[in-house]
Amino acid sequence: MERKEPLNNLPNKPVRISWVLVIFASTGLLMSAVFLILSFSQARSRSAETGVTVLSSGTLAVGAASSITTNESAFTTLPLRDPRAGDVQQLGRLEVGQSAPDFTLRTLDGGQVILSDLRGQIVLLNFWASWCQPCRLEMPELVKAYENYQDQGFVVLGVNLTDQDAMPDIEAFVKEFNVTYPVLLDSEGVVNGLYSVPGIPMSVFIDREGNIYQVQIGALTGEQIDKSVGELLKTQTAH
């Protein structure tokens, strides 16, 4: 009778690995890693865009805007088509060079502001809400610019979308950032409608004659504010 060896005594056979498969798998992993790195880099580049700037020439100068913000009210700026293909009228009824729509709003401290009373000064209307994250990013720059240029006839009006905000949150926001310029309460959304605000933050520069000089959807940087205010101060003299 043939003697059978126990299974645990069988010799171990070496496992042969195909180097072709190893090389193929390694190449695939490398390509995947490169793809992920490039995608992440492009995403960061897109997220660095601040929005759409409308220059005094009536043209939109920056690439298509990405979504800015949203909350329970679904108030948001959707991605726009290539802005270089159109002009400011695509954003609504605003048009660079036109007279800024006049309005009267109550201020957070109980006062009242009439836009037309500010003729002769350079005005920056900034539409914001306490739940808007990009608004938080630009707020220190707005406060700084107001303190730097107010003696030269520059005023910032922070128009809060009060019909989409809560008063305790508004007050906490203003206190947190030590906002020194007037904060206006658009409690019925009237000014929001007048300026066809598609998303926030949105800023409108108004010259000394009361005409719209520039519009931006998206957070302003300190450099952008300095440039625009500097141009207005240089090209226009106070009445």
Side-chain angles (χ1 to χ4, degrees), residues 74-108:
F75 189 83
T76 184
T77 293
L78 300 177
L80 304 177
R81 65 180 180 178
D82 187 350
R84 292 168 295 184
D87 58 24
V88 67
Q89 296 182 30
Q90 293 175 337
L91 299 178
R93 291 173 297 205
L94 284 186
E95 182 177 358
V96 168
Q98 79 174 67
S99 179
D102 196 16
F103 60 80
T104 301
L105 283 180
R106 182 172 62 89
T107 62
L108 184 61

Side-chain angles (χ1 to χ4, degrees), residues 78-198:
L78 300 177
L80 304 177
R81 65 180 180 178
D82 187 350
R84 292 168 295 184
D87 58 24
V88 67
Q89 296 182 30
Q90 293 175 337
L91 299 178
R93 291 173 297 205
L94 284 186
E95 182 177 358
V96 168
Q98 79 174 67
S99 179
D102 196 16
F103 60 80
T104 301
L105 283 180
R106 182 172 62 89
T107 62
L108 184 61
D109 60 7
Q112 178 178 278
V113 167
I114 301 174
L115 180 63
S116 56
D117 286 348
L118 299 175
R119 291 284 177 88
Q121 299 186 67
I122 296 168
V123 179
L124 171 55
L125 297 182
N126 178 255
F127 294 88
W128 68 281
S130 65
W131 42 260
C132 166
Q133 290 302 316
C135 298
R136 301 181 68 85
L137 295 176
E138 72 174 358
M139 195 59 59
E141 299 296 343
L142 294 171
V143 173
K144 180 181 177 181
Y146 175 65
E147 294 175 349
N148 287 342
Y149 297 111
Q150 61 175 319
D151 292 339
Q152 301 178 57
F154 173 66
V155 61
V156 178
L157 299 178
V159 183
N160 174 263
L161 305 188
T162 315
D163 60 332
Q164 304 181 48
D165 215 334
M167 192 59 66
D169 296 334
I170 298 170
E171 294 172 342
F173 188 100
V174 170
K175 182 179 180 179
E176 177 183 351
F177 290 97
N178 191 28
V179 178
T180 53
Y181 54 77
V183 174
L184 312 185
L185 304 176
D186 192 11
S187 57
E188 298 181 0
V190 174
V191 179
N192 178 5
L194 280 175
Y195 284 80
S196 304
V197 179

Side-chain angles (χ1 to χ4, degrees), residues 197-211:
V197 179
I200 56 174
M202 171 173 158
S203 296
V204 180
F205 288 87
I206 301 172
D207 64 22
R208 297 186 191 276
E209 302 296 329
N211 299 319

Side-chain angles (χ1 to χ4, degrees), residues 208-229:
R208 297 186 191 276
E209 302 296 329
N211 299 319
I212 295 175
Y213 177 80
Q214 180 177 332
V215 179
Q216 169 152 321
I217 304 171
L220 284 166
T221 65
E223 291 78 8
Q224 288 173 313
I225 300 173
D226 289 342
K227 181 177 183 297
S228 298
V229 175

